[in-house]
Every structure is written in C-alpha cells, then in structure tokens.
Amino acid sequence: MGQEISDQPVREKADPRKTLRSPLIALRVRMDDGQKSFFGYTKNISRSGIFIGTVNPREPGSQFRVEIPLPSPLNRTVECTCEVVWKRHFTKGAPYEPGMGLRFTDLPEEIANAIDTWIDSQGG
C-alpha cells in the first residue's frame, strides 16, 4: 500500500509564453486622430498578454489600444486594448531590458486560440 515511484522524469509545465526569434513591431493606435505611432518591440507573447521592450514604459494600470502584427503562419494584425501590469525602467548594466508587461483585455477568443496554436507549433 505504498506509493509507486515512476522512472519517468518529472516534466515542468512549459512557460505559456514563447520568446520570438524576430521581434514584432507593436504600434500604438492614437484614437483621437487615427494616426499610428511606433510603440516598441514585442519580445514574447501569450494568449493573455505580451512584453514590449521600450525605454518609455507606461505606468501600471494604464490602458490603451495597440496594433500587433502576428507572426507567420497567423499573418494577421490584431488591434486590441491592453493594460500595463508591470514596468521596468532602463538601468545601465541591468541584466534585463526596459519595457512593460501588458495584459490583453479584449483579445477575441479566436485570436487567443490561434496564438496558442502558433506557440505549440514553435515547440513552446
């Protein structure tokens, strides 16, 4: 009546984000005049959010619309609202780059599922 011990290695749950081989450009959409402005580079993505590398991170709690071109084979540009959940400023010699973590607040389920499929296809 003891516990069985398996010879199988313990596998840790994979990180749901996938580090991108090539950064994606994220554009902020200015809703007042319709003009798009450069915002930063997307370094990783998941169905729930993204990290954007930028020297001008926004304050946690800030919300805004972003436009993100998704990688092949998705080949779609998604516009959605994001909320800043954390930020990191530039610090000389720091091991991590400056930027901010964003949570998608209105990403359609169809797009979230497509991102999951893409991550799985990348070995994530």
Side-chain angles (χ1 to χ4, degrees):
M1 296 196 84
Q3 288 184 324
E4 282 189 37
I5 299 175
S6 172
D7 290 353
Q8 298 295 321
V10 176
R11 296 182 71 192
E12 292 186 28
K13 187 174 180 181
D15 187 338
R17 294 168 293 188
K18 176 67 183 171
T19 300
L20 303 176
R21 294 187 181 114
S22 302
L24 301 174
I25 294 173
L27 299 172
R28 182 169 59 99
V29 178
R30 291 186 184 170
M31 301 309 280
D32 53 350
D33 63 6
Q35 296 295 311
K36 297 174 187 174
S37 60
F38 174 73
F39 198 59
Y41 290 100
T42 301
K43 300 295 186 173
N44 66 39
I45 188 167
S46 73
R47 70 180 292 120
S48 62
I50 57 177
F51 168 72
I52 295 184
T54 178
V55 294
N56 297 311
R58 301 297 169 113
E59 291 298 316
S62 301
Q63 291 191 4
F64 46 85
R65 304 277 303 163
V66 294
E67 184 175 303
I68 307 161
L70 297 176
S72 180
L74 301 177
N75 295 326
R76 290 185 72 165
T77 298
V78 175
E79 185 178 321
C80 65
T81 302
C82 293
E83 179 180 2
V84 178
V85 293
W86 59 267
K87 71 177 182 174
R88 183 171 48 229
H89 289 288
F90 172 78
T91 304
K92 187 176 180 177
Y96 302 107
E97 68 183 299
M100 59 189 156
L102 305 178
R103 179 179 60 86
F104 298 131
T105 61
D106 62 355
L107 188 69
E109 188 67 20
E110 159 196 349
I111 301 300
N113 290 336
I115 290 170
D116 278 346
T117 300
W118 175 76
I119 290 170
D120 289 343
S121 75
Q122 301 297 304

